[in-house]
Amino acid sequence: IGLGIFASRYAYDRMFLTMLDWGVYAQTAWRTFHGGIMQGTWPTPNFSEGHFMPGYFFLLAPFYGLLPSVNTVFVSGALALWGSAGLLYFFARQRGFSRPYAAAFGLVWLLCPSVSNLNLTVFYGINAIVFFIPVFFCFYLLYEAKRYRLAFLVFLFSLTLKETVGIFWLGWGIVSFIEKRRRDGILYGVIGAAWFLLGMKVLIPHFAGGDYIFCGQFGQLG
């Protein structure tokens, strides 16, 4: 976590962070705390920066509102991304791994290049989507403990972190169906896909006053 904070701050101080998402998301969360609910600012005043992610904005609003600093963004992002190694440790222990093996499981997560470099990928400071990682691990901790109702509530909350999360759950549902957990596969997959379509086709156009931004960029793909 400390290395993640240092790397983000190091890049920021050298004007190395050129993708603006981390800044506009933090600004929108800050405005949410001060009464401008999910109101963005770039490139003009807008709703939710062209996305639908109330879970992220309301979750982080108190931190950004009370501690308005770039360091708050980097700390929260590092906790979500690299702090998730602790959740993997608890998950491994829950599945019967010994402490050394569970610790190794968390270490492998930290050493994975796509994780250790994720805060600087394409010059992001941090992206809202990384907050899905600890939420998903919490889901699995509850799911494997057979606390299905709580796991389902965590699943519903995860959808609010970003509209694209629904597509992940569609994939998870397909895999679950193949693994003969058909009821869960259908339930989670259908809800995930429906939420994505609702956000893309209804919520974002209604509140933001325009089509979902990526439809224009990738529409030729179908």
Side-chain angles (χ1 to χ4, degrees):
I1 293 170
L3 283 172
I5 297 169
F6 172 78
S8 298
R9 183 74 212 198
Y10 187 91
Y12 174 79
D13 287 342
R14 284 149 186 81
M15 296 191 291
F16 188 68
L17 302 179
T18 58
M19 284 295 285
L20 66 142
D21 283 20
W22 69 273
V24 297
Y25 294 162
Q27 170 73 359
T28 304
W30 181 87
R31 293 197 69 197
T32 296
F33 180 81
H34 292 281
I37 306 300
M38 296 176 63
Q39 295 299 313
T41 59
W42 189 91
T44 59
N46 62 78
F47 178 81
S48 196
E49 297 298 343
H51 294 278
F52 194 76
M53 36 199 280
Y56 172 83
F57 291 132
F58 284 99
L59 178 68
L60 276 299
F63 299 99
Y64 297 160
L66 295 172
L67 301 168
S69 166
V70 293
N71 293 320
T72 305
V73 184
F74 299 148
V75 170
S76 62
L79 286 170
L81 186 57
W82 295 288
S84 293
L87 294 174
L88 261 75
Y89 171 84
F90 287 118
F91 176 71
R93 290 289 292 155
Q94 185 186 76
R95 301 302 295 162
F97 284 75
S98 66
R99 286 187 177 87
Y101 279 106
F105 193 33
L107 183 61
V108 167
W109 163 261
L110 291 173
L111 293 177
C112 179
S114 61
V115 173
S116 58
N117 294 294
L118 189 56
N119 67 318
L120 298 179
T121 300
V122 295
F123 315 119
Y124 277 102
I126 203 70
N127 189 278
I129 200 66
V130 304
F131 291 87
F132 173 69
I133 296 171
V135 172
F136 179 64
F137 289 155
C138 287
F139 165 82
Y140 245 107
L141 282 165
L142 294 168
Y143 188 82
E144 292 295 320
K146 302 187 185 310
R147 302 181 69 178
Y148 296 122
R149 291 183 180 179
L150 280 176
F152 186 72
L153 291 176
V154 172
F155 154 71
L156 292 178
F157 172 73
S158 75
L159 294 173
T160 68
L161 291 173
K162 215 171 188 205
E163 68 285 341
T164 48
V165 169
I167 294 300
F168 169 86
W169 285 109
L170 172 61
W172 189 90
I174 292 171
V175 172
S176 297
F177 188 88
I178 293 172
E179 292 178 340
K180 301 189 185 307
R181 290 181 281 118
R182 291 187 171 89
R183 186 191 66 175
D184 283 358
I186 294 172
L187 178 66
Y188 284 85
V190 168
I191 294 176
W195 175 258
F196 172 72
L197 291 173
L198 179 68
M200 182 179 67
K201 294 293 189 181
V202 179
L203 296 175
I204 292 174
H206 174 75
F207 287 107
D211 291 334
Y212 184 50
I213 182 173
F214 297 109
C215 286
Q217 295 181 3
F218 303 108
Q220 73 277 11
L221 299 178

